[in-house]
Amino acid sequence: MSMPQNRVFSGVQPSGSLHLGNYLGAIKRFVELQNSHECIYCVVDLHAITVWQDPQELAESTRHVAAAYIACGIDPDKHVVFNQSRVGEHAELAWIFNCVARMGWLNRMTQFKDKAGKNRENASVGLFAYPTLMAADILLYRATHVPVGDDQKQHLELCRDIAQKFNTDFAEPIAAAGHGDGFFPLTEPLIAGPATRVMSLRDGARKMSKSEPSEMSRIDLTDDAETIAKKIRKAKTDPDALPSETAGLEGRPEADNLVGIFAALADSTADAVLATYGGGTFQAFKQDLAELAVEKVGPIGAEMSRLNADPAEMDAVLRKGAERARVIAAPIYDEVRKIVGFV
Ligand code: AQP
């Protein structure tokens, strides 16, 4: 079994409505990578239940994320689209990684601290172990690249630490099985572009997030044109004019965020956006940003609504995708079993 050279894995949690941050930070990149890589895109329902999910809503959201993938341009016939819980090896490998990773490593994870908040004693064990399951998702396919938003950078570093420790701990059986350079790759994160961390429209210090109670804080991919325009119009800004260069965005998180969103939607750069809008008012800028967002997000939302009307079709896509995922995962996991010493 040779090491794959350019296999992409990534996932999105079915934990609520997908928003512009999920699109610009992750799914837009997923779409672009289809031309150059073998791609496996997962709806990570096992991750979603690390915080409480209503079972019926979880099932609906799982189909909705699959619909979002397809509506954004992922081709489930050419690449693999499936939901995590259908491939049992994700959880099995995660258990092995729970025994490889160290408590100290997980104790440093900032996402756990943010999500558990002050009530750490009451957080689920699953929320604490979230990053080991994420490492299992990626390494079960020996994926070489993972496109993610900036918030997942630390988890990707942990994934590399786990791969490295597994390769070292089991160096002898790995070499005996003919995997001279180590069994798991040191997977590269792909975090690039002007919108790797899209912030809340109401607070430039907070990440745009599905679980943020205020709907005005995010643009959902299913928002209609009027709602998108209203949210952008009401987005928090400061009283100054837009600067002409990116250095002038320092200390102005809300302006920085809107310029980054514009640049990402226009496939441009913050410098180019400021070359056009620098010195002008937010009012004119927001007007054009709203038009651009409606132009880019509107068709995705319309296609999602069409796909969401046929849940059986989404189930069929996910079922077929899981069968193809298992074909890749099963022989890799069989090797892991032998390496670890499971008979
Ligand atoms: N605000 C964001 N900016 C850029 N990228 C983002 N991502 C999420 N939010 C932003 C990226 O989207 C992918 C899927 O994320 P996820 O659903 O698996 O989990 P998350 O990062 O926890 O997203 P949310 O919206 O904040 O969900 P909740 O509120 O449920 O925790 C990832 O690649 C992520 O980086």
Side-chain angles (χ1 to χ4, degrees):
M1 183 191 295
S2 59
M3 191 77 98
Q5 290 309 305
N6 61 355
R7 181 175 288 162
V8 160
F9 179 95
S10 200
V12 173
Q13 294 186 77
S15 49
S17 297
L18 296 199
H19 51 74
L20 196 61
N22 297 130
Y23 176 62
L24 296 178
I27 304 176
K28 191 167 181 285
R29 312 291 317 285
F30 297 2
V31 175
E32 290 158 5
L33 288 162
Q34 292 183 107
N35 295 328
S36 50
H37 290 70
E38 172 196 6
C39 302
I40 303 168
Y41 295 131
C42 189
V43 185
V44 289
D45 47 5
L46 296 178
H47 275 106
I49 63 162
T50 55
V51 296
W52 168 253
Q53 303 293 331
D54 173 84
Q56 201 178 330
E57 283 175 20
L58 176 67
E60 269 169 28
S61 293
T62 300
R63 297 183 187 107
H64 288 189
V65 174
Y69 281 168
I70 296 168
C72 290
I74 290 168
D75 183 342
D77 293 323
K78 291 211 181 108
H79 298 273
V80 178
V81 172
F82 74 109
N83 58 312
Q84 189 185 25
S85 61
R86 283 185 198 260
V87 179
E89 286 90 342
H90 285 255
E92 292 186 45
L93 185 58
W95 180 257
I96 295 174
F97 287 170
N98 280 339
C99 303
V100 171
R102 305 289 92 182
M103 289 289 287
W105 299 0
L106 289 171
N107 272 331
R108 285 194 284 275
M109 295 297 112
T110 55
Q111 180 173 292
F112 175 74
K113 289 180 196 159
D114 290 347
K115 289 203 171 175
K118 291 201 177 80
N119 204 0
R120 279 180 79 159
E121 291 297 309
N122 206 31
S124 73
V125 175
L127 189 65
F128 185 70
Y130 184 112
T132 56
L133 177 58
M134 183 166 158
D137 298 340
I138 296 161
L139 296 174
L140 182 58
Y141 302 90
R142 298 169 103 196
T144 53
H145 297 89
V146 180
V148 277
D150 182 67
D151 59 322
Q152 295 300 323
K153 194 171 171 192
Q154 196 184 32
H155 289 167
L156 259 299
E157 280 160 14
L158 187 95
C159 174
R160 290 164 65 94
D161 289 343
I162 289 174
Q164 181 113 55
K165 187 163 187 299
F166 183 95
N167 288 343
T168 308
D169 288 353
F170 297 99
E172 229 174 86
I174 287 172
H179 305 289
D181 290 342
F183 185 71
F184 287 122
L186 301 186
T187 308
E188 294 285 340
L190 297 174
I191 305 171
T196 55
R197 184 181 283 263
V198 178
M199 308 308 280
S200 158
L201 298 179
R202 304 303 304 159
D203 178 355
R206 291 172 67 84
K207 192 183 80 137
M208 186 178 283
S209 175
K210 302 185 204 93
S211 50
E212 170 68 44
S214 165
E215 289 193 3
M216 293 302 283
S217 70
R218 63 177 170 267
I219 293 173
D220 288 332
L221 296 183
T222 47
D223 279 345
D224 60 27
E226 204 181 310
T227 308
I228 293 172
K230 183 171 90 185
K231 287 179 176 177
I232 290 178
R233 219 171 33 246
K234 292 195 176 269
K236 190 177 167 201
T237 46
D238 56 49
D240 297 335
L242 277 157
S244 300
E245 288 172 5
T246 46
L249 291 170
E250 195 133 331
R252 300 177 66 186
E254 284 85 15
D256 190 19
N257 189 38
L258 294 182
V259 169
I261 291 174
F262 196 120
L265 284 172
D267 288 316
S268 180
T269 61
D271 284 315
V273 173
L274 292 178
T276 307
Y277 292 96
T281 64
F282 275 105
Q283 200 186 3
F285 172 73
K286 280 180 168 182
Q287 174 90 29
D288 287 1
L289 176 57
E291 273 174 33
L292 178 64
V294 168
E295 182 195 318
K296 299 287 180 173
V297 176
I300 294 174
E303 181 62 2
M304 279 177 72
S305 303
R306 195 187 68 77
L307 293 166
N308 285 337
D310 190 354
E313 174 60 22
M314 284 304 102
D315 286 354
V317 166
L318 292 168
R319 198 167 37 244
K320 215 175 340 150
E323 281 163 19
R324 290 170 59 203
R326 218 175 289 117
V327 168
I328 305 171
I332 294 175
Y333 187 65
D334 272 354
E335 285 281 303
V336 173
R337 286 181 54 91
K338 282 186 216 138
I339 289 166
V340 172
F342 293 160
V343 288

